[in-house]
Amino acid sequence: MSSSCSRRVEYDRFIPFRSAMDMDYARFALTGPSRPQRDASRESPSSVAYQKLLDECILKNRSRILAFNTAHEMPASKLPQFDEAIRLQKKQQRRIPKEPERVLVLNGMLVDDDLNLLDWGSNNVLAIGLEDAVYLWDAANESTKLLQDIVDGMEDENQSPVSSLAWRSNSILTVGRFDGTVVDYDFRKDDMFICFYNGHRRGVCSLKWSGLSGRYLASGGLDKLVHIWDACMPISRHHPRQRQWLHRISSHTSIVKAVDWCPTRSNLLASGGGRNDHCIKFWNTVNGACLNSIDAGSEVCALLWDKNKSELLTSHGSPNNQLTLWNYPSMTRVAELPGHSSRVLSLAGSPLGGVVASAAADETVRFWNIFETPKITKPELPFAQFNFIR
């Protein structure tokens, strides 16, 4: 069965062809004196015949300057290949692996909704809480060591146990406790206590400092509240070491252990509700207004923004215990990653980008290649655009 190798192309406009035009006549018609409209009844028969012969032989009965020709048929091989363009576009879309790159089996992980037991520091060291100790796993050389001194310095018989941690800087650590208090410690001083934040009625299970400004602190608690604190807000004279909250958010219907700041907008905060809530909410931290609320379908245990793209990763509990990648602000699902057999309690992103660690109640930490790795551009050398210097 044979098929034609060419097809007729229908165009939506006419384009004049220069080869079909008489440029000399065009110039004459545009610049020459215009002929008045003739009245054939007043002219002699010989004059009318002469003018007709002139039009036929010299001017060739032309009344237009531009000439249009029918386009030649184009072979199918030279037509735009839209299927090929679509194929290349799909090829350029990144592929998100459904399986983790690595799995660490950890015995002794505390399975508790109140705790946040995973964090990945800027020095590429992953901190993991196991039973009554904190272990440090170096991603560069895969070595592990026990961290004990800092934990012992924060514990006190007269204070409530620690439930959450967040670094404000390299030397200042913010600590949340089961009694609802939030405290700043400066490890450069003998008296490490700086100030405390008074607002929660029950245990504080999530703490996050704004990465862009380092000025705002978000905290979520067992009391179903989200507090936003301003470190630059003036402190009361009567309570020189006590900070008051800037906004108190009470729209969640379950515990809030998932909070994270947008890495590109300093006034955008995301929070996630627990088993009886299932919602991801977005907040304008300038006025405390809710910008959007999405039902995720199951409890939201942790949140993590991509530092290089408008995407948000969430971890969930029953029934699927999955990780879900969302496109912001449309909040369409980009990918879902199963793998854990129990609730995914915590998320932490590599400081190098790309890889995310997830800790679950199944006593495993899994490493996923989810986010796009940022492209590192070499800095331009001084005077690189010049061939010589005078």
Side-chain angles (χ1 to χ4, degrees):
M1 184 176 183
S2 62
S3 59
S4 177
C5 62
S6 64
R7 71 180 77 167
R8 184 176 183 81
V9 181
E10 298 293 338
Y11 293 93
D12 62 345
R13 69 199 69 182
F14 292 100
I15 301 175
F17 289 84
R18 181 176 292 270
S19 61
M21 294 189 294
D22 189 338
M23 302 307 296
D24 293 333
Y25 171 73
R27 185 174 182 277
F28 165 77
L30 291 173
T31 60
S34 59
R35 292 179 294 174
Q37 186 70 25
R38 302 188 309 273
D39 189 353
S41 62
R42 296 183 179 180
E43 295 184 5
S44 62
S46 59
S47 178
V48 173
Y50 173 77
Q51 186 63 45
K52 183 179 180 182
L53 183 63
L54 180 66
D55 289 341
E56 291 177 354
C57 297
I58 300 178
L59 301 181
K60 300 179 181 178
N61 289 324
R62 281 183 263 194
S63 61
R64 295 182 301 175
I65 297 175
L66 301 180
F68 300 90
N69 286 355
T70 303
H72 298 288
E73 292 187 358
M74 184 180 295
S77 59
K78 295 185 179 181
L79 291 173
Q81 299 297 318
F82 298 105
D83 294 340
E84 180 69 13
I86 295 174
R87 188 186 67 81
L88 291 175
Q89 183 180 3
K90 290 182 178 180
K91 185 178 180 180
Q92 292 174 356
Q93 294 177 351
R94 82 180 195 273
R95 176 182 172 272
I96 301 176
K98 296 293 184 180
E99 299 294 330
E101 290 187 343
R102 177 192 299 270
V103 178
L104 295 180
V105 179
L106 305 172
N107 297 320
M109 179 173 289
L110 298 176
V111 181
D112 197 328
D113 290 341
D114 309 342
L115 302 178
N116 208 328
L117 305 173
L118 192 70
D119 195 18
W120 207 329
S122 58
N123 57 351
N124 204 19
V125 174
L126 186 69
I128 307 170
L130 299 176
E131 294 182 343
D132 58 351
V134 177
Y135 290 87
L136 301 180
W137 183 76
D138 193 328
N141 54 29
E142 301 184 5
S143 63
T144 305
K145 66 178 179 180
L146 177 66
L147 176 67
Q148 193 69 31
D149 296 337
I150 292 180
V151 178
D152 291 341
M154 294 183 303
E155 293 293 351
D156 192 322
E157 294 181 356
N158 300 322
Q159 292 180 331
S160 177
V162 173
S163 56
S164 56
L165 301 171
W167 285 102
R168 180 179 176 184
S169 66
N170 290 333
S171 57
I172 299 178
L173 182 65
T174 304
V175 177
R177 298 184 180 275
F178 277 104
D179 61 0
T181 59
V182 180
V183 184
D184 276 348
Y185 292 96
D186 190 341
F187 294 99
R188 297 170 297 184
K189 301 179 180 180
D190 294 333
D191 182 12
M192 295 188 298
F193 171 74
I194 301 177
C195 65
F196 70 93
Y197 306 78
N198 185 26
H200 285 284
R201 306 185 185 101
R202 295 178 60 191
V204 180
C205 49
S206 56
L207 290 169
K208 278 292 179 68
W209 281 97
S210 173
L212 285 178
S213 65
R215 172 178 175 176
Y216 297 102
L217 172 67
S219 60
L222 298 175
D223 52 9
K224 308 174 187 178
L225 296 176
V226 175
H227 284 93
I228 300 172
W229 317 81
D230 185 355
C232 297
M233 181 180 290
I235 299 176
S236 171
R237 295 181 180 178
H238 303 289
H239 304 281
R241 289 193 171 189
Q242 178 176 330
R243 295 192 184 275
Q244 295 295 326
W245 42 265
L246 177 64
H247 297 295
R248 169 178 281 177
I249 298 169
S250 58
S251 64
H252 281 291
T253 59
S254 186
I255 67 171
V256 183
K257 71 180 302 288
V259 293
D260 198 17
W261 294 89
C262 177
T264 58
R265 294 173 56 187
S266 60
N267 62 337
L268 178 59
L269 176 73
S271 62
R275 298 182 184 181
N276 300 322
D277 188 295
H278 300 178
C279 287
I280 305 170
K281 297 180 182 291
F282 299 91
W283 308 95
N284 182 341
T285 58
V286 175
N287 54 20
C290 182
L291 302 176
N292 195 8
S293 181
I294 298 295
D295 188 345
S298 60
E299 64 173 313
V300 183
C301 303
L303 284 165
L304 185 65
W305 286 93
D306 186 355
K307 296 179 181 180
N308 306 293
K309 196 173 182 180
S310 295
E311 291 181 341
L312 179 70
L313 181 67
T314 57
S315 67
H316 300 268
S318 179
N320 298 323
N321 307 308
Q322 85 281 9
L323 275 63
T324 302
L325 184 63
W326 308 81
N327 191 340
Y328 183 83
S330 66
M331 292 307 291
T332 55
R333 285 178 169 87
V334 178
E336 289 199 350
L337 306 175
H340 286 286
S341 59
S342 299
R343 292 197 318 275
V344 187
L345 301 173
S346 305
L347 293 173
S350 167
L352 305 179
V355 180
V356 173
S358 60
D362 56 10
E363 295 190 324
T364 65
V365 173
R366 297 172 186 257
F367 297 85
W368 311 82
N369 190 6
I370 298 178
F371 294 149
E372 285 189 2
T373 304
K375 296 180 180 179
I376 301 176
T377 57
K378 295 181 179 180
E380 187 176 356
L381 297 176
F383 311 108
Q385 68 272 28
F386 300 105
N387 294 327
F388 59 89
I389 301 177
R390 286 192 285 182

